[in-house]
Amino acid sequence: MVSLHGCTSVIDSSLSDWWPRRAQTSAHGAGAGVECMRVAVLLEERCKPNTPAFDYLQKYAGSCGRECIQFEGNKCRILETACPVCLNRAKRCPGNAVKIINLPEELDHDMTHSYGENSFRLFRLPAPRERQVVGILGPNGMGKSTAINLLSGALRPNLGDWTIADRDWDEILNSFPRGELRDYLDLLSESGVAIAVKPQYVDKLPKLWDGEVRGLLSRVDDRGELEVYAEKTAISHILDRRLSGLSGGELQRVAICATILKEADVYFFDEPSSYLDIHERMRVVRIIQDLVERGKRIIVIEHDLAILDVLCDLVHVVYGGRAAYGIFTPPRTTRTAINAYLDGFLTEENVRIRDKPISFLRGRVRGEEVGDIILEWGDMEKKMGDFSLKTGEGGVRSAEVVGVVGPNATGKTTMVRMIAGEIEPDQGWCTMDATVSYKPQHVNTDFEGSVAQWLDSEIGLTWRSGEFNTQVIRPLQIDQMIELNARRLSGGELQAVSIAICLGREADLYLLDEPSAHLDVNARMEAAKAIRRTMLSKEKAAMVIDHDIYFIDIVSDSLLVFEGEGGAQGHAHGPMALRQGMNRFLEQVDVTFRRDHESHRPRINKPGSRKDREQKIDGEYFYVD
């Protein structure tokens, strides 16, 4: 939800300096009203022939005599100058297929790109800066990938006029104020910028290159440093394997290595931490910071706030309406940007981007309300090829959420699959007088029908109203996608629905493998809270595997810590108290966390800093207090 406070504009000196020509303070001072720009967005996926939205709009097409709602064949068009009656009708279109949005009139001069009439629009752009890492923080569907396409030259800004395919660069440059961004676009227009982009969806790489890893990297190795960066990204052992046989984490590291091997002036990394454990994420941080020391410009889109915090020098927040419009704010210091995003209110813009803050509880003693044992295991062992797993002894109680952490390929998913009954242990025991609901690591669906029909078939009608709807469906924004075709959901949408289906089943133990994958920051925090609320209200138990420290911090009462060598052997310890578990886990990674004094969120200490050294001496790698 984005609230513009009745289109009030409050602009301070820092914003005016960043965007001096376009931003105009109201003549009546802060809090005074300004005129609004109306944006009408039609989501074509929800308004196809034979859908309720299509039939609804067709019914009212031309009914007012002004043709505010028009049809050309199977295409609908809604005039943004439509009369109030037709706008009101369009807003009531079934399936949330139409969005009518009022924006401050000043943004009319800040529109950077539009995909067409009644389509997505982007306002302003982030600026790549010399010898700095610039982060982009915001929900999915707000134009982050569009911004990368514009800054990389894959798209040319049309300044809101989609009828002009290749707008003149002089006109584009003159629309931006003098500064870092304009200077950068000037270089881009003269083909004076070499670009390297790490794509978001690395799982598509095998479709683009079906050969061996070494062959792919050799094609992009501009500096002759393949072996050096293969070692830095820990992929030397897979150079002779085919891409089609790699895991998600291996594909991510290959994509990062391929990007860095290119000789470029500007590097774009779109979600570089996906599929990676905390060890690998910190390795990526060091590699990207090494590029900065070489004088490169870096832009990073990242949903792991701990990594964004330690990696970036400045951060642009992007807000707006999903699939409707996105607005980039001026750059803020990383700490200020993340805290403002979590708080949900952007002070300089006078914009509330969330109904309530995302909070991290301080000094909470967790697990006080846990009940009876639901699951116990003892010395389970499993050998799969060259890999072996040992679990030790442990158990899970009702109303408890056990976070499961550790390096990739040390047996976390294998243990969960044993508990779920998908595979049998070679020895040891597992006793559970309970039913299990399991969300696997990789989610997909072959269901033919809408999201609503899919939910009905999996968990019945309970999701449509009541406590589950309030605690899970609405926070995960599934209520806004119920008319969509289940097979055409994005990665984040599919993940959200899969979490809801898992939590909606009647079970005693809920097993969720990497539920934060593909979710944006807000959705991750809402998912963590939805899991906790469900376990407390149902007095059931959950085990949650994830690599996002913020997510684990919010969701967990206790931790099950995996140690070992990826792909060779793993050993599970616990469950143990959250603080004890985090200390044990982070000691392996050699990373310490402190609490932000305002938001209480975990923050990674700079390696070798005074705080880092003091905490390591005290054995306090993770502060709960």
Side-chain angles (χ1 to χ4, degrees):
M1 175 179 179
V2 178
S3 171
L4 292 164
H5 296 273
C7 297
T8 296
S9 177
V10 177
I11 304 170
D12 69 4
S13 59
S14 64
L15 176 55
S16 298
D17 291 342
W18 182 75
W19 210 270
R21 187 175 65 80
R22 302 182 179 192
Q24 299 176 356
T25 307
S26 167
H28 300 290
V34 297
E35 293 185 2
C36 294
M37 173 180 63
R38 181 178 296 124
V39 174
V41 178
L42 178 66
L43 304 181
E44 292 187 7
E45 175 66 25
R46 305 184 184 191
C47 191
K48 293 182 176 180
N50 301 319
T51 62
F54 185 90
D55 295 340
Y56 175 87
L57 292 174
Q58 198 169 47
K59 174 183 175 181
Y60 290 109
S63 62
C64 72
R66 290 182 52 190
E67 296 187 346
C68 296
I69 301 174
Q70 304 174 3
F71 274 86
E72 296 179 8
N74 292 330
K75 292 284 187 179
C76 179
R77 177 181 178 222
I78 300 171
L79 298 184
E80 291 173 350
T81 57
C83 65
V85 172
C86 286
L87 286 175
N88 189 47
R89 286 169 175 166
K91 285 168 63 175
R92 298 182 179 183
C93 184
N96 294 317
V98 177
K99 300 177 184 290
I100 306 296
I101 304 151
N102 290 326
L103 297 174
E105 186 69 22
E106 65 196 31
L107 286 175
D108 188 37
H109 304 290
D110 293 350
M111 194 182 302
T112 303
H113 196 75
S114 173
Y115 285 103
E117 190 170 25
N118 300 149
S119 297
F120 180 84
R121 297 157 205 219
L122 186 68
F123 298 87
R124 305 171 182 160
L125 279 176
R129 294 173 174 248
E130 292 187 35
R131 294 183 176 272
Q132 287 188 318
V133 180
V134 177
I136 299 177
L137 171 60
N140 289 332
M142 300 292 173
K144 297 187 296 295
S145 295
T146 297
I148 283 188
N149 287 333
L150 292 168
L151 293 171
S152 66
L155 282 177
R156 184 179 295 192
N158 61 26
L159 306 182
D161 189 348
W162 56 89
T163 63
I164 303 177
D166 291 309
R167 186 178 283 275
D168 183 73
W169 269 111
D170 286 339
E171 187 179 357
I172 294 172
L173 294 174
N174 288 333
S175 72
F176 289 90
R178 295 188 181 277
E180 292 256 14
L181 179 58
R182 180 167 171 170
D183 291 345
Y184 170 78
L185 292 175
D186 191 16
L187 288 172
L188 185 66
S189 69
E190 297 173 356
S191 300
V193 181
I195 305 291
V197 180
K198 200 283 306 172
Q200 178 182 10
Y201 297 109
V202 296
D203 52 337
K204 294 181 180 179
L205 283 178
K207 297 178 182 178
L208 302 175
W209 177 263
D210 193 31
E212 295 179 349
V213 173
R214 188 185 298 276
L216 171 65
L217 298 181
S218 297
R219 290 169 62 94
V220 297
D221 184 13
D222 295 336
R223 295 190 298 269
E225 296 181 324
L226 191 158
E227 299 295 337
V228 173
Y229 278 99
E231 183 176 349
K232 285 187 176 183
T233 53
I235 60 170
S236 298
H237 64 293
I238 61 171
L239 289 177
D240 297 322
R241 289 170 55 186
R242 299 180 71 87
L243 261 70
S244 56
L246 301 184
S247 68
E250 290 167 337
L251 284 172
Q252 184 70 274
R253 298 201 301 275
V254 169
I256 291 169
C257 185
T259 304
I260 294 171
L261 286 174
K262 296 178 182 178
E263 184 56 52
D265 302 301
V266 186
Y267 292 83
F268 297 88
F269 293 90
D270 198 344
E271 298 187 27
S273 74
S274 297
Y275 303 109
L276 302 183
D277 62 40
I278 185 65
H279 303 71
E280 295 160 342
R281 293 181 187 198
M282 291 304 297
R283 186 187 299 125
V284 170
V285 167
R286 291 189 289 270
I287 291 171
I288 292 177
Q289 289 176 339
D290 179 60
L291 288 174
V292 174
E293 293 176 3
R294 292 189 177 195
K296 308 301 183 182
R297 307 185 196 208
I298 314 290
I299 283 192
V300 176
I301 295 174
E302 183 54 66
H303 296 307
D304 184 332
L305 293 183
I307 296 301
L308 194 74
D309 191 17
V310 75
L311 175 60
C312 297
D313 300 293
L314 297 169
V315 170
H316 291 267
V317 175
V318 59
Y319 65 96
R322 188 183 298 269
Y325 70 99
I327 304 171
F328 277 93
T329 70
R332 292 165 163 85
T333 63
T334 302
R335 177 179 176 273
T336 301
I338 293 177
N339 283 353
Y341 184 80
L342 292 173
D343 184 59
F345 183 71
L346 305 177
T347 305
E348 290 87 347
E349 291 78 16
N350 192 31
V351 172
R352 180 158 295 284
I353 60 175
R354 191 180 304 106
D355 289 334
K356 55 187 177 181
I358 295 172
S359 59
F360 293 81
L361 299 184
R362 185 179 182 182
R364 175 165 58 138
V365 179
R366 311 197 191 196
E368 291 178 330
E369 301 177 4
V370 299
D372 299 329
I373 285 284
I374 286 181
L375 162 71
E376 286 185 293
W377 63 83
D379 298 319
M380 289 193 297
E381 295 186 17
K382 183 68 180 179
K383 190 169 180 63
M384 303 178 73
D386 295 329
F387 175 77
S388 61
L389 168 67
K390 297 182 179 181
T391 68
E393 295 185 359
V396 183
R397 298 175 179 272
S398 62
E400 180 181 21
V401 179
V402 178
V404 184
V405 297
N408 279 334
T410 52
K412 298 186 298 297
T413 299
T414 300
M415 182 173 177
V416 165
R417 291 180 63 199
M418 285 194 291
I419 292 172
E422 286 195 357
I423 56 177
E424 293 291 330
D426 296 334
Q427 63 183 66
W429 53 272
C430 177
T431 60
M432 180 174 63
D433 185 19
T435 54
V436 174
S437 178
Y438 176 45
K439 186 207 78 68
Q441 181 179 18
H442 300 290
V443 294
N444 54 65
T445 181
D446 293 324
F447 184 83
E448 293 284 355
S450 68
V451 169
Q453 292 168 331
W454 186 22
L455 289 168
D456 287 343
S457 69
E458 291 284 352
I459 58 178
L461 302 178
T462 55
W463 67 272
R464 292 182 176 269
S465 61
E467 188 176 55
F468 186 76
N469 184 276
T470 303
Q471 292 184 346
V472 179
I473 297 297
R474 283 160 53 188
L476 294 179
Q477 298 187 339
I478 296 170
D479 56 324
Q480 299 180 24
M481 58 180 91
I482 57 174
E483 307 249 350
L484 298 182
N485 187 313
R487 297 187 67 180
R488 301 193 63 176
L489 295 176
S490 69
E493 291 169 337
L494 183 59
Q495 185 72 268
V497 176
S498 299
I499 291 170
I501 288 174
C502 177
L503 297 178
R505 295 189 183 113
E506 286 298 323
D508 300 294
L509 179 65
Y510 295 83
L511 305 176
L512 298 101
D513 198 342
E514 295 199 31
S516 78
H518 304 299
L519 297 180
D520 61 45
V521 174
N522 189 62
R524 289 182 184 199
M525 304 306 147
E526 292 295 346
K529 292 178 180 180
I531 294 168
R532 285 199 60 80
R533 285 192 297 261
T534 302
M535 297 310 110
L536 289 173
S537 63
K538 289 186 175 183
E539 295 188 3
K540 305 300 183 181
M543 296 180 70
V544 180
I545 299 174
D546 214 275
H547 297 302
D548 187 317
I549 295 295
Y550 281 47
F551 187 90
I552 287 293
D553 181 53
I554 289 177
V555 79
S556 304
D557 294 302
S558 56
L559 284 188
L560 182 64
V561 181
F562 278 72
E563 298 173 356
E565 180 183 352
Q569 54 87 21
H571 195 288
H573 301 273
M576 62 189 75
L578 179 65
R579 184 169 185 167
Q580 179 187 359
M582 277 294 191
N583 279 332
R584 178 163 190 157
F585 169 56
L586 293 173
E587 186 175 9
Q588 303 175 54
V589 192
D590 197 33
V591 169
T592 60
F593 278 79
R594 68 188 185 280
R595 289 281 184 185
D596 185 84
H597 65 270
E598 290 182 6
S599 64
H600 309 310
R601 62 184 172 90
R603 300 188 67 194
I604 297 176
N605 291 316
K606 184 178 180 180
S609 66
R610 180 177 60 83
K611 190 72 172 174
D612 180 64
R613 296 194 306 271
E614 288 176 354
Q615 287 185 219
K616 286 177 179 176
I617 291 172
D618 294 338
E620 292 287 359
Y621 286 76
F622 184 80
Y623 274 119
V624 175
D625 298 332

